[in-house]
Amino acid sequence: MSSGSGAASAPAPTTHDSPPAPDAPSDGRPASAAGAGSRPAGDSAAPAAAAAAPVKTSMFSSLRIRNYRLFFIGQVVSNTGTWMQRIAQDWLVLSLTGSSAAVGITTALQFLPMLLFGLYGGVLVDRLPKRPALLVTQSAMALTGLALAALTLTGHVQVWHVYVAAFAVGLATVVDNPARQSFVSEMVGPEQLGNAVSLNSANFQSARLVGPAVAGVMITGVGTGWAFLFNGLSFVAPIGGLLLMRARELHVVERAPRGKGQLREGLRYVAGRPELIWPIVLVGFIGTFGFNFPVWLSAYADDVFHSGAGAYSLFNTLMAVGSLVGALLAARRGTARPRVLIAAAAAFGTLEIVAALAPSYWPFALLMVPIGIAGLTVNVTANTAVQMGTDPAMRGRVMALFMMVFMGGTPLGAPVVGWVTDAYGPRIGFVLGGAVSAVAAVTVGLLLARSGGLRLSVGWNGGRPAVRFVPRERPDRLATAA
């Protein structure tokens, strides 16, 4: 879901509690320039002062913008198909092989291209116009879904076909993910960026509620092939939405010219900013070890609770309920605070350990809800913080790095987690993922605090324990006090 110049510090996140500008259009379109490096198409004379005017947001404020509304509706349909295909794909591989490791290999192949080529995809996205690039990538993924549907419905599908399809989707994702992430700012501008990023996640998780449920019914009723077919056809909606957008209402971002060293430039930019690099490192650890739910949930449904595809679908649906709640809460907050990110990551890892040790079916299933809330909060908060702290001209490269470590770590973690799950059981595999996530959260929290001149304070507030970061006392201040 999901940069910059050589400035000494990244811009502060936009706040969303100020009244709208007096001349703001009633339909939610920006009246003037949209922040550094961007402006509405055809409005080059827009005053800089108006560009900085804060815009009040509500939970759904960015949907007032027509282009984003078209994008949002198209993604609802497409994401539903995507979740249907994910469930059908994992269950098909498990049915063909009987191996959790094979499910892990499928997941790894889908995310391997992001690991290998993700940074180059970000360089391309910074050079290319985003909307035409998305038309190409969405069309490619539609064709992949239709091909897999044809193989499955005709009874010719083999596990290697699924591997090839997963890898092909991964190749398209190399460009599609950073393009979609950075295109959001072109549709809504910086004032609504935090809200739109959160609504994108709410969109994805809403589809996650519907997709697994429909997929579970479809798999047991008519077979996996029909889920693949629905996914292929669902791309008509986002492609149509992209074609119907008004180009003059987009916030134009100056594209990076073709040149040498752009990849290194992006890496140096991120490496020099603790507020960017440490959230990316954290989501890298969590994405690699903590988000291997296709491996764990299919194994719990099949090997631990012996409940079949219906239980697997239910686990995913309950997690989607929690994720949707987390996304809506993030949209309401509108800001991305480091303490929220660290607390959510620590809670996510801890809840995974608790779920792994759940003694029976329903406690395990119900724990998917808070796991979904915590996991989605980590993803949205890190995504929003990185996007809002990044120069628009570098956003494609930075978001490619973000998605590369979040999704590209899966090819490294999924086979390992799948092997541990096969060799030692689903509970040990799940505990491992949760423990790594919790340790990463604590470590990154301490490093962020240190880079910001903060220290951990543990005390009492109103009779309740309070844990927070406070400014570290400087030696010169201590000497003065003495």
Side-chain angles (χ1 to χ4, degrees):
M1 173 175 41
S2 336
S3 57
S5 63
S9 61
T14 305
T15 58
H16 304 293
D17 53 359
S18 303
D23 57 348
S26 60
D27 63 355
R29 294 197 310 270
S32 58
S38 66
R39 57 181 174 79
D43 190 16
S44 58
V55 176
K56 184 180 178 68
T57 67
S58 63
M59 186 176 287
F60 302 102
S61 58
S62 54
L63 289 175
R64 292 196 299 264
I65 301 169
R66 180 182 182 274
N67 283 344
Y68 180 71
R69 192 163 60 247
L70 287 169
F71 177 85
F72 185 90
I73 293 170
Q75 290 300 307
V76 167
V77 179
S78 177
N79 286 335
T80 301
T82 296
W83 275 110
M84 290 176 66
Q85 175 151 325
R86 284 191 180 186
I87 300 299
Q89 174 181 283
D90 296 338
W91 199 255
L92 177 61
V93 171
L94 194 63
S95 301
L96 291 172
T97 65
S99 169
S100 295
V103 177
I105 290 171
T106 308
T107 305
L109 286 170
Q110 187 158 333
F111 296 120
L112 181 61
M114 182 64 71
L115 178 63
L116 297 177
F117 312 117
L119 292 177
Y120 296 98
V123 172
L124 283 175
V125 166
D126 279 337
R127 294 175 183 171
L128 296 173
K130 308 298 186 297
R131 189 161 60 134
L134 285 171
L135 286 169
V136 173
T137 57
Q138 296 280 296
S139 299
M141 288 190 281
L143 292 174
T144 303
L146 293 174
L148 195 55
L151 287 167
T152 307
L153 290 172
T154 58
H156 294 99
V157 69
Q158 299 179 36
V159 69
W160 71 267
H161 292 143
V162 185
Y163 289 165
V164 170
F167 188 76
V169 170
L171 285 174
T173 301
V174 167
V175 174
D176 186 80
N177 259 333
R180 276 190 297 109
Q181 298 284 336
S182 55
F183 189 51
V184 172
S185 66
E186 295 189 21
M187 288 184 285
V188 304
E191 297 88 355
Q192 298 285 355
L193 179 59
N195 179 260
V197 168
S198 298
L199 286 183
N200 279 353
S201 295
N203 181 326
F204 190 68
Q205 301 306 329
S206 298
R208 190 178 177 184
L209 284 171
V210 178
V214 175
V217 173
M218 195 170 286
I219 291 169
T220 56
V222 294
T224 56
W226 294 98
F228 298 140
L229 180 62
F230 183 94
N231 179 55
L233 296 176
S234 71
F235 284 96
V236 171
I239 291 171
L242 289 166
L243 292 173
L244 290 172
M245 286 183 183
R246 295 170 182 163
R248 66 181 182 275
E249 294 176 10
L250 294 173
H251 295 256
V252 177
V253 173
E254 184 177 353
R255 298 198 298 271
R258 186 181 182 88
K260 294 182 178 180
Q262 291 176 324
L263 180 57
R264 291 192 298 273
E265 180 187 8
L267 293 174
R268 284 197 301 268
Y269 177 82
V270 173
R273 288 161 174 77
E275 70 278 9
L276 297 182
I277 186 63
W278 291 121
I280 290 175
V281 169
L282 178 58
V283 298
F285 273 101
I286 290 179
T288 301
F289 297 101
F291 268 83
N292 289 286
F293 294 108
V295 176
W296 294 322
L297 299 187
S298 60
Y300 266 81
D302 195 43
D303 300 331
V304 177
F305 301 123
H306 309 289
S307 302
Y312 182 46
S313 176
L314 176 64
F315 296 156
N316 279 280
T317 300
L318 288 172
M319 188 176 294
V321 171
S323 299
L324 178 59
V325 171
L328 293 176
L329 290 174
R332 187 175 181 179
R333 283 194 303 271
T335 57
R337 303 187 182 205
R339 65 184 181 187
V340 174
L341 173 62
I342 300 305
F348 175 78
T350 303
L351 286 166
E352 285 196 334
I353 295 172
V354 173
L357 303 176
S360 58
Y361 179 91
W362 281 109
F364 178 85
L366 293 176
L367 279 166
M368 295 301 105
V369 176
I371 287 175
I373 294 174
L376 198 282
T377 302
V378 171
N379 192 7
V380 169
T381 306
N383 189 312
T384 304
V386 170
Q387 287 214 52
M388 295 180 75
T390 298
D391 187 292
M394 298 285 284
R395 192 167 282 139
R397 276 165 281 184
V398 172
M399 292 315 298
L401 178 61
F402 179 92
M403 298 309 297
M404 186 193 77
V405 299
F406 182 59
M407 300 173 60
T410 304
L412 302 177
V416 174
V417 168
W419 175 80
V420 171
T421 300
D422 278 342
Y424 300 101
R427 294 189 187 277
I428 299 299
F430 212 176
V431 166
L432 173 65
V436 171
S437 299
V439 171
V442 173
T443 303
V444 170
L446 293 173
L447 289 169
L448 277 172
R450 183 177 180 180
S451 68
L454 304 175
R455 64 178 177 84
L456 185 66
S457 172
V458 181
W460 292 86
N461 183 15
R464 292 180 298 178
V467 180
R468 58 179 179 159
F469 289 106
V470 298
R472 192 185 301 273
E473 293 182 347
R474 295 183 309 207
D476 57 341
R477 190 175 299 171
L478 293 173
T480 302

